[in-house]
């Protein structure tokens, strides 16, 4: 799988020699299993909450509602705070855990943080499988949430730092691809376990989460830590050896020196979270937080969490609703593959803008159909219209899967400078999980009160976020991570105003006295490479 060549960088960006080595591909695949676990948790929760035996054991009130058609509105059968807490507790725990994960990612490394995530995942699975009451079930979800917090903190950073620049986007999206595979796997499992007689199928659904949990744990033991992390922790020679190994070439001195200098600057920052608030770091912080808020306000997780419940609501039978969820999962996986292929070719902005149009139109159409055909106590959704709803949902899912899904994680992981990267990723994960929690906890209640208008609510957000991308999001395709400030932020019509503590940039290119192209580290150090450094080169 190895291949040679130079990275294709943005105009004026440094070009570091790097081959696509087997160790990079294998390390990225193993690390991305953290996404597999996250995706399985998202997919499995919606499936088990539509299983009669699960509802009867843990949520008898909801179970009785589903048996009495005239008792509640079609839109309100599943409106229960306890049921929503089962789903959302994972994200609240993840939100808390991400603050600890920021410390371990910086002090202990990306690899060890992924190992901690794997252990939390395994413990959570054990509690969920053995659950005898709601409290034990929630404890299991909280442990899984801690795993999500640590994994979502470490994995995107690991992928961005270990990948060569020219394929960084594609390899980073392996995380999101594994999320979608996890969701599909969960939907297939739920479809099968729902047919098991005896009422224990839900335990098998929750227990099979142990497979990706073990994969992540074993993967964390096998992979190497990133050169960025090793150098940041003072292990320069080991970092240099790993860099030579993953790049597949001996000509790693320019990239190594840039990493060492970036690490030196990073160590001067004693309070990375406080440093995030400095003027020059605000553009990255605003972009990262906005992308996480907008990602959840597309309504994607609401649909993924409760796809079987949603399809039950609009008139599908139990098996048909789970089958429809499987179709959605498959579309999700295939569309993410589209993103892997195109993200480093057409760029981040183009994917986000195209998807905005597609998501807006599909959600508006779903709202119109449900508004006309599905009333509070009657279901007039014919077989043809039901299939059309599934097609529209798949249209929405496909657009999200090649845009806001992967890019919501990719862009923040590649834009923060090294000195604030762990803190920035922590804030990114925290905001994502906070809004995931809010949507997960509120969605069924919103569905009850908004009815079909829930899709108009989310489509309105899609319009807002598309305008945000159009005017405020710069393109980061093929730009080395350590040169983002000079090549991206200092060239943007708005964000360059926040870079007022840098040096003048002639012709859009920072150049040092010795003629070398200056990246972020050179910009911060006033592009003054010493003569001795030049001799060493």
């Amino acid at each position: 799988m190895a291949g040679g060549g130079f990275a294709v960088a943005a105009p004026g960006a440094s070009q570091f020699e790097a081959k696509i080595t087997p160790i990079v591909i294998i390390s990225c695949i193993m690390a991305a299993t953290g996404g597999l676990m996250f995706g399985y948790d998202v997919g499995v929760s919606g499936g088990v909450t539509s299983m009669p035996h699960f509802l009867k054991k843990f949520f008898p009130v909801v179970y009785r509602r589903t048996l009495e058609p005239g008792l509640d509105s079609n839109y309100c059968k599943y409106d229960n705070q306890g049921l929503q807490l089962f789903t959302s507790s994972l994200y609240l725990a993840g939100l808390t855990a991400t603050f600890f994960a920021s410390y371990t990612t910086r002090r202990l490394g990306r690899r060890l943080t992924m190992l901690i995530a794997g252990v939390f995942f395994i413990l959570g699975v054990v509690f969920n499988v053995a659950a005898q009451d709601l409290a034990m079930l929630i404890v299991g979800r909280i442990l899984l949430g801690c795993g999500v917090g640590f994994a979502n903190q470490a994995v995107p950073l690991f992928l961005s730092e270990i990948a060569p620049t020219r394929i960084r986007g594609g390899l980073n999206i392996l995380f999101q691809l594994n999320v979608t595979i996890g969701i599909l796997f969960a939907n297939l499992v739920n479809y099968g376990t729902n047919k098991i007689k005896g009422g224990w199928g839900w335990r098998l659904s929750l227990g099979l989460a142990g497979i990706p949990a073990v994969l992540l744990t074993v993967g964390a033991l096998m992979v190497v830590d990133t050169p960025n992390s090793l150098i940041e922790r003072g292990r320069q020679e080991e970092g240099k050896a790993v860099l030579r190994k993953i790049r597949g070439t001996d000509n790693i001195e320019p990239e190594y020196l840039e990493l060492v200098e970036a690490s030196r600057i990073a160590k001067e920052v004693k309070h990375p979270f406080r440093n995030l608030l400095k003027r020059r770091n605000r553009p990255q912080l605003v972009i990262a937080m906005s992308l996480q808020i907008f990602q959840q306000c597309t309504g994607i997780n609401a649909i993924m969490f409760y796809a079987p419940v949603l399809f039950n609501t609009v008139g599908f039978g139990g098996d048909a609703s789970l089958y429809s969820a499987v179709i959605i999962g498959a579309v999700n996986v295939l569309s993410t593959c589209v993103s892997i292929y195109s993200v480093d070719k057409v760029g981040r902005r183009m994917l986000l803008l195209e998807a905005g149009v597609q998501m807006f139109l599909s959600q508006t159409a779903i709202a119109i159909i449900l508004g006309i055909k599905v009333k509070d106590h009657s279901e007039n959704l014919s077989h043809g219209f039901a299939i059309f709803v599934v097609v529209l949902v798949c249209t929405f899912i496909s657009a999200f899967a090649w845009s806001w899904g992967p890019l919501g994680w990719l862009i923040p992981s590649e834009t923060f400078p090294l000195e604030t990267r762990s803190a920035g990723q922590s804030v990114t994960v925290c905001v994502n999980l906070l809004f995931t929690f809010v949507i997960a906890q509120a969605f069924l209640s919103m569905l009850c009160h908004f009815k079909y208008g829930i899709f108009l609510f989310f489509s309105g957000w899609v319009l807002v976020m598309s305008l945000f991308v159009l005017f405020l999001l710069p393109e980061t395709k093929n730009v080395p991570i350590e040169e983002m400030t000079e090549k991206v932020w200092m060239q943007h019509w708005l964000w360059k105003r926040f870079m007022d503590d840098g040096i003048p940039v002639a012709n859009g290119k920072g150049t040092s006295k010795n003629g070398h192209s200056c990246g972020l580290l050179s910009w911060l150090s006033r592009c003054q490479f010493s003569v001795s450094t030049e001799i060493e080169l």
Side-chain angles (χ1 to χ4, degrees), residues 287-314:
I287 292 293
M289 293 179 64
S290 299
L291 287 178
Q292 302 314 304
I293 295 171
F294 289 149
Q295 187 190 67
Q296 297 312 307
C297 288
T298 59
I300 183 64
N301 276 342
I303 291 175
M304 285 300 185
F305 293 149
Y306 303 113
V309 172
L310 180 64
F311 287 128
N312 268 332
T313 296
V314 299

PDB file of all heavy atoms in Angstrom, residues 287-314:
ATOM      1  N   ILE A 287     -14.655  29.124  14.787  1.00  0.00           N
ATOM      2  CA  ILE A 287     -14.953  28.145  13.736  1.00  0.00           C
ATOM      3  C   ILE A 287     -15.236  26.776  14.350  1.00  0.00           C
ATOM      4  O   ILE A 287     -16.218  26.105  13.998  1.00  0.00           O
ATOM      5  CB  ILE A 287     -13.791  28.048  12.732  1.00  0.00           C
ATOM      6  CG1 ILE A 287     -13.660  29.343  11.914  1.00  0.00           C
ATOM      7  CG2 ILE A 287     -13.977  26.845  11.807  1.00  0.00           C
ATOM      8  CD1 ILE A 287     -14.805  29.624  10.983  1.00  0.00           C
ATOM      9  N   ALA A 288     -14.375  26.346  15.274  1.00  0.00           N
ATOM     10  CA  ALA A 288     -14.523  25.016  15.869  1.00  0.00           C
ATOM     11  C   ALA A 288     -15.844  24.886  16.629  1.00  0.00           C
ATOM     12  O   ALA A 288     -16.573  23.897  16.477  1.00  0.00           O
ATOM     13  CB  ALA A 288     -13.346  24.730  16.805  1.00  0.00           C
ATOM     14  N   MET A 289     -16.159  25.879  17.446  1.00  0.00           N
ATOM     15  CA  MET A 289     -17.400  25.823  18.230  1.00  0.00           C
ATOM     16  C   MET A 289     -18.623  25.903  17.318  1.00  0.00           C
ATOM     17  O   MET A 289     -19.604  25.175  17.515  1.00  0.00           O
ATOM     18  CB  MET A 289     -17.413  26.962  19.257  1.00  0.00           C
ATOM     19  CG  MET A 289     -16.363  26.824  20.357  1.00  0.00           C
ATOM     20  SD  MET A 289     -16.384  28.207  21.533  1.00  0.00           S
ATOM     21  CE  MET A 289     -18.006  28.010  22.273  1.00  0.00           C
ATOM     22  N   SER A 290     -18.561  26.770  16.322  1.00  0.00           N
ATOM     23  CA  SER A 290     -19.705  26.935  15.419  1.00  0.00           C
ATOM     24  C   SER A 290     -19.982  25.648  14.646  1.00  0.00           C
ATOM     25  O   SER A 290     -21.140  25.242  14.474  1.00  0.00           O
ATOM     26  CB  SER A 290     -19.444  28.085  14.443  1.00  0.00           C
ATOM     27  OG  SER A 290     -19.277  29.308  15.134  1.00  0.00           O
ATOM     28  N   LEU A 291     -18.917  24.987  14.192  1.00  0.00           N
ATOM     29  CA  LEU A 291     -19.103  23.753  13.427  1.00  0.00           C
ATOM     30  C   LEU A 291     -19.774  22.672  14.275  1.00  0.00           C
ATOM     31  O   LEU A 291     -20.615  21.918  13.780  1.00  0.00           O
ATOM     32  CB  LEU A 291     -17.752  23.245  12.908  1.00  0.00           C
ATOM     33  CG  LEU A 291     -17.120  24.030  11.765  1.00  0.00           C
ATOM     34  CD1 LEU A 291     -15.761  23.448  11.391  1.00  0.00           C
ATOM     35  CD2 LEU A 291     -18.025  24.074  10.543  1.00  0.00           C
ATOM     36  N   GLN A 292     -19.413  22.605  15.552  1.00  0.00           N
ATOM     37  CA  GLN A 292     -20.025  21.585  16.418  1.00  0.00           C
ATOM     38  C   GLN A 292     -21.499  21.896  16.691  1.00  0.00           C
ATOM     39  O   GLN A 292     -22.346  20.998  16.688  1.00  0.00           O
ATOM     40  CB  GLN A 292     -19.263  21.488  17.745  1.00  0.00           C
ATOM     41  CG  GLN A 292     -17.799  21.166  17.601  1.00  0.00           C
ATOM     42  CD  GLN A 292     -17.528  20.045  16.627  1.00  0.00           C
ATOM     43  OE1 GLN A 292     -18.060  18.944  16.759  1.00  0.00           O
ATOM     44  NE2 GLN A 292     -16.708  20.315  15.620  1.00  0.00           N
ATOM     45  N   ILE A 293     -21.802  23.169  16.935  1.00  0.00           N
ATOM     46  CA  ILE A 293     -23.200  23.554  17.168  1.00  0.00           C
ATOM     47  C   ILE A 293     -24.033  23.288  15.916  1.00  0.00           C
ATOM     48  O   ILE A 293     -25.104  22.680  15.980  1.00  0.00           O
ATOM     49  CB  ILE A 293     -23.281  25.042  17.564  1.00  0.00           C
ATOM     50  CG1 ILE A 293     -22.595  25.270  18.917  1.00  0.00           C
ATOM     51  CG2 ILE A 293     -24.742  25.500  17.633  1.00  0.00           C
ATOM     52  CD1 ILE A 293     -22.426  26.736  19.281  1.00  0.00           C
ATOM     53  N   PHE A 294     -23.514  23.724  14.783  1.00  0.00           N
ATOM     54  CA  PHE A 294     -24.251  23.545  13.529  1.00  0.00           C
ATOM     55  C   PHE A 294     -24.403  22.066  13.177  1.00  0.00           C
ATOM     56  O   PHE A 294     -25.433  21.652  12.641  1.00  0.00           O
ATOM     57  CB  PHE A 294     -23.537  24.280  12.392  1.00  0.00           C
ATOM     58  CG  PHE A 294     -23.634  25.780  12.479  1.00  0.00           C
ATOM     59  CD1 PHE A 294     -22.619  26.591  12.000  1.00  0.00           C
ATOM     60  CD2 PHE A 294     -24.753  26.383  13.037  1.00  0.00           C
ATOM     61  CE1 PHE A 294     -22.716  27.971  12.064  1.00  0.00           C
ATOM     62  CE2 PHE A 294     -24.860  27.760  13.116  1.00  0.00           C
ATOM     63  CZ  PHE A 294     -23.837  28.556  12.627  1.00  0.00           C
ATOM     64  N   GLN A 295     -23.358  21.266  13.462  1.00  0.00           N
ATOM     65  CA  GLN A 295     -23.446  19.835  13.142  1.00  0.00           C
ATOM     66  C   GLN A 295     -24.633  19.185  13.834  1.00  0.00           C
ATOM     67  O   GLN A 295     -25.365  18.390  13.236  1.00  0.00           O
ATOM     68  CB  GLN A 295     -22.146  19.126  13.562  1.00  0.00           C
ATOM     69  CG  GLN A 295     -22.077  17.673  13.116  1.00  0.00           C
ATOM     70  CD  GLN A 295     -20.905  16.945  13.736  1.00  0.00           C
ATOM     71  OE1 GLN A 295     -20.853  16.728  14.937  1.00  0.00           O
ATOM     72  NE2 GLN A 295     -19.944  16.550  12.903  1.00  0.00           N
ATOM     73  N   GLN A 296     -24.866  19.539  15.088  1.00  0.00           N
ATOM     74  CA  GLN A 296     -25.994  18.961  15.815  1.00  0.00           C
ATOM     75  C   GLN A 296     -27.322  19.593  15.402  1.00  0.00           C
ATOM     76  O   GLN A 296     -28.366  18.934  15.434  1.00  0.00           O
ATOM     77  CB  GLN A 296     -25.786  19.130  17.323  1.00  0.00           C
ATOM     78  CG  GLN A 296     -24.577  18.402  17.864  1.00  0.00           C
ATOM     79  CD  GLN A 296     -24.510  16.965  17.383  1.00  0.00           C
ATOM     80  OE1 GLN A 296     -25.469  16.207  17.521  1.00  0.00           O
ATOM     81  NE2 GLN A 296     -23.383  16.578  16.795  1.00  0.00           N
ATOM     82  N   CYS A 297     -27.279  20.850  14.989  1.00  0.00           N
ATOM     83  CA  CYS A 297     -28.515  21.530  14.597  1.00  0.00           C
ATOM     84  C   CYS A 297     -28.980  21.164  13.186  1.00  0.00           C
ATOM     85  O   CYS A 297     -30.018  21.648  12.737  1.00  0.00           O
ATOM     86  CB  CYS A 297     -28.342  23.051  14.711  1.00  0.00           C
ATOM     87  SG  CYS A 297     -28.276  23.631  16.417  1.00  0.00           S
ATOM     88  N   THR A 298     -28.221  20.311  12.499  1.00  0.00           N
ATOM     89  CA  THR A 298     -28.751  19.752  11.258  1.00  0.00           C
ATOM     90  C   THR A 298     -29.885  18.775  11.554  1.00  0.00           C
ATOM     91  O   THR A 298     -30.694  18.472  10.679  1.00  0.00           O
ATOM     92  CB  THR A 298     -27.664  18.990  10.470  1.00  0.00           C
ATOM     93  OG1 THR A 298     -27.149  17.928  11.295  1.00  0.00           O
ATOM     94  CG2 THR A 298     -26.540  19.915  10.041  1.00  0.00           C
ATOM     95  N   GLY A 299     -29.906  18.251  12.795  1.00  0.00           N
ATOM     96  CA  GLY A 299     -30.901  17.258  13.176  1.00  0.00           C
ATOM     97  C   GLY A 299     -30.448  15.830  12.932  1.00  0.00           C
ATOM     98  O   GLY A 299     -31.210  14.879  13.130  1.00  0.00           O
ATOM     99  N   ILE A 300     -29.194  15.642  12.546  1.00  0.00           N
ATOM    100  CA  ILE A 300     -28.707  14.317  12.166  1.00  0.00           C
ATOM    101  C   ILE A 300     -28.776  13.312  13.306  1.00  0.00           C
ATOM    102  O   ILE A 300     -29.249  12.183  13.132  1.00  0.00           O
ATOM    103  CB  ILE A 300     -27.263  14.406  11.606  1.00  0.00           C
ATOM    104  CG1 ILE A 300     -26.792  13.024  11.142  1.00  0.00           C
ATOM    105  CG2 ILE A 300     -26.312  14.971  12.654  1.00  0.00           C
ATOM    106  CD1 ILE A 300     -27.566  12.451  10.001  1.00  0.00           C
ATOM    107  N   ASN A 301     -28.290  13.701  14.479  1.00  0.00           N
ATOM    108  CA  ASN A 301     -28.280  12.733  15.576  1.00  0.00           C
ATOM    109  C   ASN A 301     -29.682  12.428  16.067  1.00  0.00           C
ATOM    110  O   ASN A 301     -29.966  11.317  16.532  1.00  0.00           O
ATOM    111  CB  ASN A 301     -27.398  13.232  16.728  1.00  0.00           C
ATOM    112  CG  ASN A 301     -25.931  12.902  16.492  1.00  0.00           C
ATOM    113  OD1 ASN A 301     -25.614  12.053  15.673  1.00  0.00           O
ATOM    114  ND2 ASN A 301     -25.051  13.578  17.188  1.00  0.00           N
ATOM    115  N   ALA A 302     -30.569  13.418  15.966  1.00  0.00           N
ATOM    116  CA  ALA A 302     -31.964  13.162  16.336  1.00  0.00           C
ATOM    117  C   ALA A 302     -32.540  12.058  15.450  1.00  0.00           C
ATOM    118  O   ALA A 302     -33.225  11.143  15.919  1.00  0.00           O
ATOM    119  CB  ALA A 302     -32.778  14.441  16.187  1.00  0.00           C
ATOM    120  N   ILE A 303     -32.234  12.125  14.159  1.00  0.00           N
ATOM    121  CA  ILE A 303     -32.721  11.103  13.229  1.00  0.00           C
ATOM    122  C   ILE A 303     -32.032   9.767  13.473  1.00  0.00           C
ATOM    123  O   ILE A 303     -32.666   8.707  13.478  1.00  0.00           O
ATOM    124  CB  ILE A 303     -32.513  11.563  11.774  1.00  0.00           C
ATOM    125  CG1 ILE A 303     -33.457  12.740  11.465  1.00  0.00           C
ATOM    126  CG2 ILE A 303     -32.754  10.421  10.789  1.00  0.00           C
ATOM    127  CD1 ILE A 303     -33.263  13.360  10.100  1.00  0.00           C
ATOM    128  N   MET A 304     -30.704   9.801  13.716  1.00  0.00           N
ATOM    129  CA  MET A 304     -29.963   8.564  13.931  1.00  0.00           C
ATOM    130  C   MET A 304     -30.337   7.883  15.248  1.00  0.00           C
ATOM    131  O   MET A 304     -30.465   6.666  15.321  1.00  0.00           O
ATOM    132  CB  MET A 304     -28.461   8.845  13.895  1.00  0.00           C
ATOM    133  CG  MET A 304     -27.933   9.080  12.500  1.00  0.00           C
ATOM    134  SD  MET A 304     -28.208   7.624  11.445  1.00  0.00           S
ATOM    135  CE  MET A 304     -27.373   8.139   9.979  1.00  0.00           C
ATOM    136  N   PHE A 305     -30.494   8.676  16.311  1.00  0.00           N
ATOM    137  CA  PHE A 305     -30.863   8.100  17.603  1.00  0.00           C
ATOM    138  C   PHE A 305     -32.186   7.357  17.504  1.00  0.00           C
ATOM    139  O   PHE A 305     -32.355   6.253  17.983  1.00  0.00           O
ATOM    140  CB  PHE A 305     -31.076   9.190  18.667  1.00  0.00           C
ATOM    141  CG  PHE A 305     -29.838   9.938  19.065  1.00  0.00           C
ATOM    142  CD1 PHE A 305     -29.927  11.259  19.462  1.00  0.00           C
ATOM    143  CD2 PHE A 305     -28.596   9.342  19.049  1.00  0.00           C
ATOM    144  CE1 PHE A 305     -28.810  11.969  19.836  1.00  0.00           C
ATOM    145  CE2 PHE A 305     -27.474  10.043  19.422  1.00  0.00           C
ATOM    146  CZ  PHE A 305     -27.575  11.359  19.812  1.00  0.00           C
ATOM    147  N   TYR A 306     -33.128   8.036  16.890  1.00  0.00           N
ATOM    148  CA  TYR A 306     -34.519   7.601  16.986  1.00  0.00           C
ATOM    149  C   TYR A 306     -35.110   7.173  15.646  1.00  0.00           C
ATOM    150  O   TYR A 306     -36.324   7.215  15.467  1.00  0.00           O
ATOM    151  CB  TYR A 306     -35.364   8.735  17.584  1.00  0.00           C
ATOM    152  CG  TYR A 306     -34.880   9.204  18.936  1.00  0.00           C
ATOM    153  CD1 TYR A 306     -34.345  10.480  19.098  1.00  0.00           C
ATOM    154  CD2 TYR A 306     -34.953   8.381  20.049  1.00  0.00           C
ATOM    155  CE1 TYR A 306     -33.896  10.927  20.339  1.00  0.00           C
ATOM    156  CE2 TYR A 306     -34.495   8.812  21.282  1.00  0.00           C
ATOM    157  CZ  TYR A 306     -33.974  10.080  21.421  1.00  0.00           C
ATOM    158  OH  TYR A 306     -33.535  10.503  22.646  1.00  0.00           O
ATOM    159  N   ALA A 307     -34.252   6.756  14.699  1.00  0.00           N
ATOM    160  CA  ALA A 307     -34.768   6.375  13.383  1.00  0.00           C
ATOM    161  C   ALA A 307     -35.879   5.330  13.474  1.00  0.00           C
ATOM    162  O   ALA A 307     -36.950   5.505  12.873  1.00  0.00           O
ATOM    163  CB  ALA A 307     -33.629   5.883  12.492  1.00  0.00           C
ATOM    164  N   PRO A 308     -35.691   4.220  14.220  1.00  0.00           N
ATOM    165  CA  PRO A 308     -36.788   3.251  14.326  1.00  0.00           C
ATOM    166  C   PRO A 308     -38.038   3.845  14.962  1.00  0.00           C
ATOM    167  O   PRO A 308     -39.167   3.596  14.523  1.00  0.00           O
ATOM    168  CB  PRO A 308     -36.192   2.135  15.201  1.00  0.00           C
ATOM    169  CG  PRO A 308     -34.707   2.267  15.033  1.00  0.00           C
ATOM    170  CD  PRO A 308     -34.481   3.741  14.912  1.00  0.00           C
ATOM    171  N   VAL A 309     -37.829   4.658  16.030  1.00  0.00           N
ATOM    172  CA  VAL A 309     -38.971   5.308  16.691  1.00  0.00           C
ATOM    173  C   VAL A 309     -39.669   6.261  15.734  1.00  0.00           C
ATOM    174  O   VAL A 309     -40.901   6.314  15.656  1.00  0.00           O
ATOM    175  CB  VAL A 309     -38.487   6.064  17.953  1.00  0.00           C
ATOM    176  CG1 VAL A 309     -39.608   6.913  18.539  1.00  0.00           C
ATOM    177  CG2 VAL A 309     -37.967   5.086  18.998  1.00  0.00           C
ATOM    178  N   LEU A 310     -38.876   7.011  14.970  1.00  0.00           N
ATOM    179  CA  LEU A 310     -39.439   7.974  14.019  1.00  0.00           C
ATOM    180  C   LEU A 310     -40.279   7.266  12.957  1.00  0.00           C
ATOM    181  O   LEU A 310     -41.397   7.685  12.644  1.00  0.00           O
ATOM    182  CB  LEU A 310     -38.298   8.766  13.360  1.00  0.00           C
ATOM    183  CG  LEU A 310     -38.706   9.816  12.331  1.00  0.00           C
ATOM    184  CD1 LEU A 310     -39.517  10.927  12.987  1.00  0.00           C
ATOM    185  CD2 LEU A 310     -37.474  10.399  11.647  1.00  0.00           C
ATOM    186  N   PHE A 311     -39.765   6.174  12.423  1.00  0.00           N
ATOM    187  CA  PHE A 311     -40.504   5.449  11.396  1.00  0.00           C
ATOM    188  C   PHE A 311     -41.735   4.754  11.971  1.00  0.00           C
ATOM    189  O   PHE A 311     -42.745   4.604  11.283  1.00  0.00           O
ATOM    190  CB  PHE A 311     -39.594   4.446  10.682  1.00  0.00           C
ATOM    191  CG  PHE A 311     -38.599   5.099   9.755  1.00  0.00           C
ATOM    192  CD1 PHE A 311     -37.250   4.816   9.842  1.00  0.00           C
ATOM    193  CD2 PHE A 311     -39.018   6.015   8.815  1.00  0.00           C
ATOM    194  CE1 PHE A 311     -36.337   5.420   8.998  1.00  0.00           C
ATOM    195  CE2 PHE A 311     -38.122   6.628   7.956  1.00  0.00           C
ATOM    196  CZ  PHE A 311     -36.772   6.338   8.053  1.00  0.00           C
ATOM    197  N   ASN A 312     -41.658   4.322  13.232  1.00  0.00           N
ATOM    198  CA  ASN A 312     -42.863   3.819  13.897  1.00  0.00           C
ATOM    199  C   ASN A 312     -43.916   4.917  13.986  1.00  0.00           C
ATOM    200  O   ASN A 312     -45.111   4.697  13.782  1.00  0.00           O
ATOM    201  CB  ASN A 312     -42.530   3.311  15.302  1.00  0.00           C
ATOM    202  CG  ASN A 312     -42.200   1.825  15.313  1.00  0.00           C
ATOM    203  OD1 ASN A 312     -42.678   1.072  14.478  1.00  0.00           O
ATOM    204  ND2 ASN A 312     -41.366   1.413  16.259  1.00  0.00           N
ATOM    205  N   THR A 313     -43.441   6.126  14.299  1.00  0.00           N
ATOM    206  CA  THR A 313     -44.342   7.264  14.456  1.00  0.00           C
ATOM    207  C   THR A 313     -45.102   7.571  13.162  1.00  0.00           C
ATOM    208  O   THR A 313     -46.301   7.865  13.184  1.00  0.00           O
ATOM    209  CB  THR A 313     -43.542   8.515  14.885  1.00  0.00           C
ATOM    210  OG1 THR A 313     -42.976   8.274  16.183  1.00  0.00           O
ATOM    211  CG2 THR A 313     -44.437   9.739  14.952  1.00  0.00           C
ATOM    212  N   VAL A 314     -44.404   7.486  12.023  1.00  0.00           N
ATOM    213  CA  VAL A 314     -45.062   7.847  10.771  1.00  0.00           C
ATOM    214  C   VAL A 314     -45.789   6.661  10.125  1.00  0.00           C
ATOM    215  O   VAL A 314     -46.267   6.761   9.005  1.00  0.00           O
ATOM    216  CB  VAL A 314     -44.061   8.449   9.754  1.00  0.00           C
ATOM    217  CG1 VAL A 314     -43.445   9.707  10.306  1.00  0.00           C
ATOM    218  CG2 VAL A 314     -42.992   7.431   9.366  1.00  0.00           C
TER     219      VAL A 314
END
